[in-house]
Amino acid sequence: AQKITQTQPGMFVQEKEAVTLDCTYDTSDQSYGLFWYKQPSSGEMIFLIYQGSYDEQNATEGRYSLNFQKARKSANLVISASQLGDSAMYFCAMRGPPIKAAGNKLTFGGGTRVLVKP
Amino acid sequence: DTGVSQDPRHKITKRGQNVTFRCDPISEHNRLYWYRQTLGQGPEFLTYFQNEAQLEKSRLLSDRFSAERPKGSFSTLEIQRTEQGDSAMYLCASSSDITNYGYTFGSGTRLTVV
């Protein structure tokens, strides 16, 4: 079974500063994928970044980067130069090997609420 | 294609009534997922379709819940004899078996059972 743990229920960050959101995972699969989603108050889940378990380099997408430490089973999200619009819930998620039918679903953590202060 | 569409956006129902939600995935996506999200929690997997076949159901999907995806296009999620504990956001997502990471979510249907 897969499990995602996000230990930070909420965080304040000053505008223009960087923030790191923690995510640890547990799986017995060798092939898996890790995701971060943003959920503003409107409710939609917005895809931010993806890291495959065999990817050697950490994923980056604009101001988002994923600090992937496979041995520690962690996949922390770093948001650089925070903006007021970054205030939202952030969810870490994983999926298993796509060759299994069960590998296609996403398992989510409990989320971290980020509030960016001006 | 405008993304994944869910209807209705909000639904208020009395306890004991039946409700049905609809999800229209991205047309090229053959996989469709339903999740439930209660306030302050992460989404929980309910069920998954590949084309018209329902390949996996969570134990969260009690006998009162049923999902269909006729013809492998849109999907419906029905809850019979609703209970207050069913109050949640119901999220639909779709993906393609061509990519391993292209999950697109809809805006969800928020159900309130009174």
Side-chain angles (χ1 to χ4, degrees):
Chain A
Q2 299 169 349
K3 185 177 180 181
I4 295 282
T5 302
Q6 295 181 253
T7 57
Q8 305 153 310
M11 298 182 70
F12 286 100
V13 58
Q14 201 67 40
E15 191 179 11
K16 299 181 185 178
E17 291 186 350
V19 61
T20 298
L21 307 183
D22 295 340
C23 172
T24 57
Y25 60 91
D26 190 22
T27 182
S28 57
D29 293 314
Q30 296 300 310
S31 173
Y32 50 88
L34 296 158
F35 301 75
W36 278 93
Y37 284 87
K38 172 184 177 182
Q39 188 177 44
S41 56
S42 57
E44 61 184 305
M45 298 288 283
I46 301 168
F47 168 75
L48 296 178
I49 197 165
Y50 167 81
Q51 179 88 39
S53 59
Y54 293 119
D55 294 342
E56 293 185 352
Q57 293 197 341
N58 288 341
T60 60
E61 289 285 350
R63 296 188 297 112
Y64 305 106
S65 60
L66 198 152
N67 184 1
F68 181 45
Q69 298 189 39
K70 195 170 183 177
R72 293 186 175 185
K73 293 190 174 178
S74 75
N76 298 340
L77 177 71
V78 179
I79 306 174
S80 62
S82 297
Q83 301 171 356
L84 295 178
D86 294 336
S87 294
M89 284 289 289
Y90 288 81
F91 291 98
C92 182
M94 75 179 300
R95 61 138 184 84
I99 57 171
K100 297 181 186 177
N104 293 303
K105 68 182 180 187
L106 293 176
T107 299
F108 286 85
T112 297
R113 181 171 297 282
V114 172
L115 185 60
V116 180
K117 299 186 293 183
Chain B
D1 203 331
T2 56
V4 178
S5 299
Q6 291 190 246
D7 183 69
R9 289 295 310 276
H10 303 274
K11 178 71 176 179
I12 299 174
T13 190
K14 291 184 178 179
R15 189 174 52 188
Q17 297 293 305
N18 299 345
V19 294
T20 300
F21 310 140
R22 178 179 170 121
C23 172
D24 287 89
I26 290 175
S27 56
E28 301 86 35
H29 286 179
N30 60 336
R31 296 174 177 167
L32 187 146
Y33 313 80
W34 285 99
Y35 292 84
R36 181 173 69 186
Q37 184 180 22
T38 52
L39 205 58
Q41 303 297 317
E44 297 173 294
F45 171 77
L46 291 179
T47 190
Y48 152 57
F49 291 85
Q50 179 149 329
N51 300 311
E52 65 276 6
Q54 189 173 20
L55 296 187
E56 189 178 356
K57 293 194 295 185
S58 163
R59 62 180 183 275
L60 292 175
L61 214 65
S62 74
D63 292 344
R64 297 184 297 105
F65 287 70
S66 63
E68 295 183 341
R69 192 184 183 197
K71 302 179 184 178
S73 56
F74 71 92
S75 175
T76 57
L77 178 67
E78 180 183 18
I79 309 175
Q80 296 182 327
R81 305 181 303 282
T82 52
E83 303 172 355
Q84 286 190 323
D86 297 331
S87 295
M89 174 78 87
Y90 290 84
L91 292 164
C92 177
S94 68
S95 71
S96 166
D97 54 10
I98 296 175
T99 65
N100 293 329
Y101 59 89
Y103 298 85
T104 303
F105 281 81
S107 297
T109 293
R110 182 168 295 284
L111 173 67
T112 303
V113 182
V114 297

